[in-house]
Amino acid sequence: MKISCDIIKDLLPLYHDNVCSNDSKTMVEEHLDYCDSCKAELRAMDEELPLNNTEQNLNEAEAVKKLSRRWKKGMHKSLLKGILITIVIVVLVALVLYSFIDFKLIPKP
């Protein structure tokens, strides 16, 4: 039975890592006997991945760190503004209640 290269290429990572079933292993090996394209694909899996953008990756990581610091700083500023606005609103409400409604926080004796 002839299996398409697409199916074999889906199975190649499992075959390469030796985690596929025996039936799948047999099927892949039979296919590899006559398919040079899939053999090349399997050989490519043995090669190490190139790490040619190390400096670019480090620069991007530093940019993310800076962005994170700016975001945290902005969050602290927003929190302080929120607390300040809340205090001002509470004070204003207390003044309005005290002035116009004759509401006293401490009762007169």
Side-chain angles (χ1 to χ4, degrees):
M1 172 167 71
K2 183 171 172 138
I3 306 295
S4 74
C5 287
D6 289 336
I7 293 173
I8 296 301
K9 286 180 182 178
D10 287 344
L11 291 173
L12 278 180
L14 299 173
Y15 176 81
H16 180 264
D17 294 340
N18 201 25
V19 292
C20 62
S21 68
N22 287 332
D23 290 339
S24 296
K25 184 177 180 180
T26 303
M27 184 173 49
V28 169
E29 288 172 350
E30 288 174 1
H31 182 86
L32 290 175
D33 286 339
Y34 65 85
C35 182
D36 293 333
S37 172
C38 290
K39 281 182 195 175
E41 186 95 15
L42 182 62
R43 279 192 300 272
M45 289 180 185
D46 289 331
E47 297 174 9
E48 289 188 28
L49 294 175
L51 299 175
N52 52 352
N53 292 333
T54 305
E55 188 172 326
Q56 180 183 356
N57 291 341
L58 291 174
N59 290 339
E60 289 174 0
E62 187 61 34
V64 169
K65 285 180 185 178
K66 286 179 183 177
L67 182 64
S68 176
R69 278 186 241 131
R70 282 182 34 205
W71 183 78
K72 286 179 184 178
K73 190 175 182 181
M75 290 297 291
H76 287 123
K77 283 183 179 179
S78 295
L79 177 65
L80 291 175
K81 284 180 186 177
I83 291 171
L84 182 62
I85 290 171
T86 302
I87 290 171
V88 168
I89 290 173
V90 168
V91 168
L92 288 175
V93 168
L95 284 173
V96 167
L97 289 175
Y98 182 79
S99 299
F100 295 112
I101 304 177
D102 202 28
F103 175 78
K104 307 292 185 213
L105 293 175
I106 302 173
K108 292 182 182 179

